[in-house]
């Protein structure tokens, strides 16, 4: 067994999904066009430096993505996605061999390349619908997978999203996708579900999902929330600049934690870590 593979398997066995308490996932967008930090970490060295900072600030997982899924974005070719994420991951793992890395992709080939390079998690915004081979890659590797709800696709998803009952529909979708994952050989304890804040949802939909997050927690899988710096926070606060939406983001993190969410995918690790530490202390007092 290669050293990378041995280290990776040890990490998978001890992934934070098996513990308790909130888990912060630091976002690393190796893209030129992400909505809040596009271009900032496009070269492997700045990506690795930023990952190290987020790990030092309290992130337990680094989520590496090579394609923006912001509203209106276009897909990038699969080979280009691999060219972006794998060198960044290798650089991170060379500097921090214990880092737990998640790969943010819906493509099986990209996931397989990232897992081979040492990733321990797959974050699939299409919940295994984007590529028919993704479920078997995840099942064969035995790694945790995030199944996210998205209505439509990034290019068009924010054009008048519509639901009869957004919470019920998202719950049903996630239950079905979890069933599909398990039927495809993914272990139930490796399934994480995510309402997909901002993915085919207007302000009202996002607020309903955050308010009723306990309904999704009731599915019995750990819940991940990715609200960091998103548009709806700017709509509420009037903060136009995405990277300045940290205070609004922290409010979503604390409320979601109180409702039972377990994973928090954030850009600003330190602010969310401190907020979660205080929230956890109060809830456990
Ligand atoms: N949000 C984004 C990307 N990936 N994955 C999960 N599981 N949940 C999310 O809410 C989520 C996600 C979008 O945010 P970001 O990565 O900051 O932007 P971009 O897609 O423009 O790179």
């Amino acid at each position: 067994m290669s050293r990378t593979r041995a280290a990776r398997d040890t990490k998978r066995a001890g992934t934070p999904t098996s513990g308790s308490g909130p888990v912060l996932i630091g976002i690393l967008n190796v893209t030129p066009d992400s909505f809040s930090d596009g271009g900032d970490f496009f070269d492997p060295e700045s990506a690795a430096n930023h990952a190290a900072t987020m790990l030092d600030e309290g992130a337990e997982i680094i989520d590496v993505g090579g394609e923006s899924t912001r509203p209106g974005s276009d897909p990038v070719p699969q080979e280009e996605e691999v060219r972006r994420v794998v060198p960044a991951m290798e650089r991170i793992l060379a500097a921090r061999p214990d880092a737990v890395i998640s790969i943010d992709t819906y493509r099986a080939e990209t996931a397989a390349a990232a897992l081979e390079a040492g990733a321990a998690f797959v974050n699939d915004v299409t919940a295994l619908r984007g590529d028919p081979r993704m479920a078997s890659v995840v099942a064969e590797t035995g790694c945790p997978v995030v199944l996210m709800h998205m209505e439509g696709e990034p290019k068009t998803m924010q054009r008048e999203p519509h639901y009869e009952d957004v919470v019920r529909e998202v719950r049903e979708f996630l239950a079905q996708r979890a069933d599909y994952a398990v039927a495809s050989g993914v272990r139930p304890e490796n399934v994480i579900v995510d309402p997909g804040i901002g993915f085919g949802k207007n302000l009202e939909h996002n607020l309903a999902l955050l308010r009723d997050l306990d309904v999704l927690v009731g599915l019995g899988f750990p819940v991940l929330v990715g609200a960091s710096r998103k548009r709806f926070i700017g709509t509420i606060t009037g903060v136009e600049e995405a990277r300045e939406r940290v205070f609004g983001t922290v409010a979503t993190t604390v409320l979601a934690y109180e409702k039972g969410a377990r994973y928090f995918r954030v850009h600003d690790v330190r602010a969310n870590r401190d907020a979660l530490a205080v929230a956890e202390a109060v809830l456990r007092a």
Side-chain angles (χ1 to χ4, degrees):
M1 194 187 287
S2 72
R3 275 193 57 195
T4 317
R5 187 177 286 249
R8 187 189 67 196
D9 289 348
T10 311
K11 264 187 296 188
R12 282 203 191 112
T15 45
T17 42
S18 53
S20 65
V23 176
L24 280 168
I25 302 179
I27 301 171
L28 186 63
N29 288 317
V30 192
T31 58
D33 58 346
S34 286
F35 79 94
S36 81
D37 54 2
D40 289 1
F41 314 112
F42 198 40
D43 70 284
E45 192 182 342
S46 56
N49 288 340
H50 187 55
T53 303
M54 291 193 290
L55 290 167
D56 291 340
E57 289 179 346
E60 288 190 53
I61 300 170
I62 301 295
D63 189 38
V64 180
E67 177 181 297
S68 172
T69 46
R70 75 181 194 290
S73 60
D74 285 312
V76 297
Q78 192 265 327
E79 303 76 26
E80 171 62 13
E81 190 186 22
V82 170
R83 270 198 298 275
R84 292 179 183 180
V85 295
V86 168
M89 285 177 38
E90 286 171 348
R91 197 74 166 237
I92 296 167
L93 289 168
R96 306 289 286 257
D98 292 336
V100 176
I101 293 181
S102 146
I103 174 70
D104 184 352
T105 186
Y106 54 86
R107 295 188 179 104
E109 268 186 63
T110 304
L115 290 162
E116 191 48 47
F121 256 68
V122 173
N123 174 21
D124 183 351
V125 297
T126 71
L128 308 178
R129 295 175 301 161
D131 185 331
R133 289 158 305 161
M134 185 63 119
S136 55
V137 167
V138 171
E140 278 161 27
T141 318
C143 64
V145 62
V146 179
L147 306 175
M148 194 194 82
H149 176 272
M150 168 165 41
E151 188 63 36
E153 53 190 47
K155 188 81 187 159
T156 52
M157 65 190 177
Q158 289 307 99
R159 288 186 202 150
E160 299 194 27
H162 176 78
Y163 303 84
E164 292 298 324
D165 177 341
V166 68
V167 177
R168 181 175 51 76
E169 288 168 52
V170 169
R171 184 185 193 281
E172 275 169 18
F173 171 89
L174 293 174
Q176 280 165 10
R177 298 316 297 165
D179 282 350
Y180 169 80
V182 172
S184 306
V186 177
R187 289 204 301 269
E189 64 269 27
N190 278 341
V191 173
I192 298 164
V193 296
D194 177 349
I197 299 296
F199 284 85
K201 282 130 194 148
N202 63 24
L203 173 63
E204 215 179 286
H205 301 141
N206 289 321
L207 294 179
L209 286 164
L210 289 169
R211 181 197 61 209
D212 294 342
L213 207 61
D214 46 334
V215 172
L216 304 183
V217 172
L219 285 168
F221 299 103
V223 170
L224 183 152
V225 170
S228 188
R229 297 183 181 176
K230 283 187 178 168
R231 173 75 255 164
F232 81 103
I233 294 173
T235 306
I236 296 168
T237 58
V239 178
E240 264 310 306
E241 182 59 50
R243 62 184 81 219
E244 291 182 5
R245 295 180 188 147
V246 55
F247 303 114
T249 300
V250 162
T252 67
T253 297
V254 170
L255 287 165
Y257 177 59
E258 204 264 334
K259 296 257 174 204
R262 177 85 202 289
Y263 291 89
F264 305 88
R265 182 181 179 278
V266 298
H267 301 86
D268 306 287
V269 173
R270 200 166 152 219
N272 286 284
R273 179 203 65 189
D274 285 0
L276 277 172
V278 174
E280 207 184 353
V282 171
L283 291 172
R284 290 191 176 184

